């Protein structure tokens, strides 16, 4: 018996690909930073990413989104990619994963 469906495995692969995209200011990946809110895979429509930025005025926002699109196009050329920028919930440092905190040198 398999624990994960093929769709679950693909979603995990997408998240792993997104870990290649770094926040240029903090130097950690956008998944561990907590910027990726959801990944939706639809065989007909492609990959839809809902994500945020650390602030609405993030000077690197366009570069981050462009990097997301580029990584997904390279790793999953058979799918169209749509990135939706959302502002709710508002990002905070509480969204950073334990791995991200470790990478930043935070120790609890």
């Amino acid at each position: 018996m398999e624990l994960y469906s093929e769709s679950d495995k693909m979603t995990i692969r997408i998240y792993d690909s997104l870990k290649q995209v770094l926040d240029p200011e903090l130097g950690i990946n956008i998944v561990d930073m907590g910027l990726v809110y959801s990944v939706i895979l639809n065989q007909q429509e492609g990959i839809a990413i809902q994500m945020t930025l650390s602030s609405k005025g993030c000077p690197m926002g366009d570069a981050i989104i462009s990097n997301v699109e580029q990584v997904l196009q390279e790793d999953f050329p058979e799918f169209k990619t749509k990135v939706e920028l959302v502002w709710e919930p508002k990002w905070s440092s509480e969204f950073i994963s334990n791995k991200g905190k470790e990478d930043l040198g935070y120790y609890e």
Side-chain angles (χ1 to χ4, degrees), residues 41-54:
L41 175 65
N42 180 303
Q43 294 296 335
Q44 289 76 33
E45 296 178 25
I47 300 169
I49 306 295
Q50 269 196 345
M51 63 174 290
T52 196
L53 299 171
S54 57

Side-chain angles (χ1 to χ4, degrees), residues 36-102:
V36 179
Y37 288 166
S38 71
V39 170
I40 300 168
L41 175 65
N42 180 303
Q43 294 296 335
Q44 289 76 33
E45 296 178 25
I47 300 169
I49 306 295
Q50 269 196 345
M51 63 174 290
T52 196
L53 299 171
S54 57
S55 68
K56 284 188 179 183
C58 177
M60 298 306 294
D62 289 340
I64 293 170
I65 292 168
S66 178
N67 288 343
V68 167
E69 293 169 341
Q70 181 180 351
V71 163
L72 293 177
Q73 181 61 43
E74 288 173 6
D75 290 352
F76 305 96
E78 67 276 19
F79 293 105
K80 292 180 186 176
T81 300
K82 178 184 173 195
V83 178
E84 180 184 5
L85 202 54
V86 297
W87 301 110
E88 293 295 326
K90 182 179 177 185
W91 182 86
S92 83
S93 60
E94 293 175 2
F95 293 4
I96 300 173
S97 72
N98 288 337
K99 169 82 169 82
K101 289 176 183 174
E102 181 180 304

